Amino acid sequence: MSDLNVSPEILHRLANDMRTSTTALDEAATRSVSETNAGESTPQVQIAIAALARAAAGLLDGTKRTADQVEAGKADYMTTDDSAADNMPSVDGGN
């Protein structure tokens, strides 16, 4: 048996933090490509930044899915935790 105890609020906060981080990264990637000015090398630099943005998009997608799974798993965790607590033998203190 594990001594791990996670409150629903922590799971909800974790999911929200993951979603917030993806929003900030998505905005930065979009802004970076359009604001690139590298003189004569601008087209090549924009291609490189676009490739990085596509890679970041994969990370964003995975992080968003994970955040959704954390939020959805919260209900399962709470049900399992409550069920396990209900099935624990009571301690009568005298025996």
Side-chain angles (χ1 to χ4, degrees):
M1 187 154 119
S2 170
D3 289 332
L4 181 66
N5 184 11
V6 181
S7 71
E9 294 81 21
I10 290 175
L11 292 173
H12 180 72
R13 197 172 333 137
L14 174 62
N16 280 343
D17 287 350
M18 293 170 80
R19 288 188 188 101
T20 302
S21 68
T22 62
T23 301
L25 183 57
D26 192 27
E27 290 170 357
T30 302
R31 192 174 51 250
S32 296
V33 174
S34 62
E35 295 177 357
T36 302
N37 182 356
E40 292 179 17
S41 300
T42 297
Q44 293 83 5
V45 171
Q46 285 178 328
I47 289 169
I49 291 174
L52 288 170
R54 282 191 298 276
L59 174 64
L60 293 172
D61 184 53
T63 303
K64 288 176 184 177
R65 279 188 276 124
T66 301
D68 291 342
Q69 291 171 344
V70 167
E71 193 71 48
K74 178 176 70 174
D76 289 340
Y77 172 80
M78 295 310 301
T79 300
T80 302
D81 190 53
D82 289 346
S83 176
D86 291 343
N87 292 321
M88 293 284 295
S90 62
V91 178
D92 63 11
N95 294 326

